[in-house]
Amino acid sequence: MVDGIIADSTFYICFLDCIQRPEVLIKILENFKPHIPARVFKEVSQSKNAHHLLKKKDCLNIFDKLHLNLGEVLRPFVSESELEKGEHETIILAYVCNRMGFNFILILDEIDKRNLVKTIIPELESKMTGTVGFLGMCYYKYRIFNKEEVIGLIDQIGSSKFRVDRKVIAEVKQRIEKNE
Amino acid sequence: MDSSEFVEKYAILMLGVKERPVPSILHLQKEFFILSKLNPRVQEHFDFIAHYKGPFSPILNDVIEDSVYVKEAFDIKNNAILLGNGGLLEFKKINEENKNEEGLNNTLLQMAFIRDIYEKLTEKELLFLIYDTYKEFPERSLVSDEILNDKSVRNRIIESLFLKSLITLKRYNELRERYA
């Protein structure tokens, strides 16, 4: 059984803003312990409907001081804007949690960041998925949502401003249909 | 502990933390430079200075060439640096004596993370990223000129880093814009 999730801001903003379904996010957070870097939490706190998440702040494991300044290690590999926003800190947190033996799912949507993780921390590849992929797992693996609910959510995400490859949506829906 | 002893001990730890040699003295120098950004004691003892190949620690070079406190601590084979028989025994001894010490475990985690990432870079890629990120360090030289000012060399390095998924898309765009 998975203990938790580590996700960057796009995951949270998907439910809070893009599809405006905060209750879905809350249901996810009630089933998985969320580990989140402080700067990612700060960014998410400024999004639409963030008050729903803030009410559940006690459920969040917010990492205030990123472990051992490891963020500096990635400084040459990410842009200045990414450093300022702390976008690399999700990767660092995943690395540290993995070394500590935590069992988690890493949710990253940007393909270049996923490729960066696969290259520099290949042991995280098997734990990694995107928001839509994770929703699929919430049905066929964890039974948090039923089939109709999850297909509905994925369709809603596909029609929203959330950026996701159509191929990914098709693959996840296929998996749901096969009930794997 | 004086600086020579500190540097020798830390070099043994850095080389022992992974079961593979460090590809070159350049890699070792830059890996310790990055570590010094995480750990002020490392900066204090390694004392990095500006050099034609970026930040350089003279004491690290001396220690690798001729270890004082541990006989046969290091070995150099085809440019790669590895632990000698003495270094291997010393690494094992340090770990056994400090098994549960949080400080040592944290240092080893930092070193492992640094090595896993930076050893995926060629020497030119490594120099380029260090020159670009830590502008306060390079002395002008033929080496830095070739890497920073020769457009074809520079563009090849930037493309290579992105194709190898070692930098994010934003970082790639940032570098392309900076050196357009």
Side-chain angles (χ1 to χ4, degrees), chain B residues 105-116:
Chain B
N105 290 332
N106 288 343
T107 299
L108 291 173
L109 188 152
Q110 289 171 327
M111 288 176 169
F113 191 49
I114 290 169
R115 286 197 58 185
D116 278 343

Side-chain angles (χ1 to χ4, degrees), chain A residues 18-135:
Chain A
C18 299
I19 63 170
Q20 298 198 47
R21 297 286 301 274
E23 77 283 2
V24 172
L25 178 62
I26 300 305
K27 191 167 182 182
I28 291 170
L29 300 184
E30 283 169 353
N31 284 276
F32 298 92
K33 181 76 182 174
H35 308 291
I36 180 170
R39 281 203 281 181
V40 170
F41 177 71
K42 188 181 171 190
E43 191 190 344
V44 172
S45 302
Q46 290 161 359
S47 74
K48 210 171 186 172
N49 293 313
H51 57 278
H52 292 279
L53 181 67
L54 293 172
K55 274 189 234 170
K56 291 278 181 179
K57 196 179 168 185
D58 290 343
C59 299
L60 306 174
N61 193 7
I62 302 173
F63 282 72
D64 209 0
K65 198 170 181 183
L66 212 55
H67 199 62
L68 309 174
N69 297 322
L70 285 175
E72 184 70 24
V73 178
L74 287 188
R75 196 174 144 201
F77 304 92
V78 299
S79 70
E80 282 172 17
S81 65
E82 285 168 323
L83 283 170
E84 274 166 40
K85 282 190 183 171
E87 289 180 31
H88 60 306
E89 291 184 0
T90 305
I91 299 174
I92 302 293
L93 183 55
Y95 176 80
V96 170
C97 287
N98 194 46
R99 290 284 300 226
M100 288 163 73
F102 286 16
N103 197 0
F104 61 89
I105 298 169
L106 173 60
I107 306 170
L108 283 179
D109 287 296
E110 287 169 314
I111 195 76
D112 62 319
K113 290 205 178 64
R114 288 168 64 156
N115 287 339
L116 180 66
V117 170
K118 283 185 207 173
T119 304
I120 65 174
I121 319 171
E123 62 267 31
L124 288 181
E125 188 175 353
S126 60
K127 294 177 183 290
M128 197 163 53
T129 186
T131 297
V132 169
F134 175 71
L135 271 177

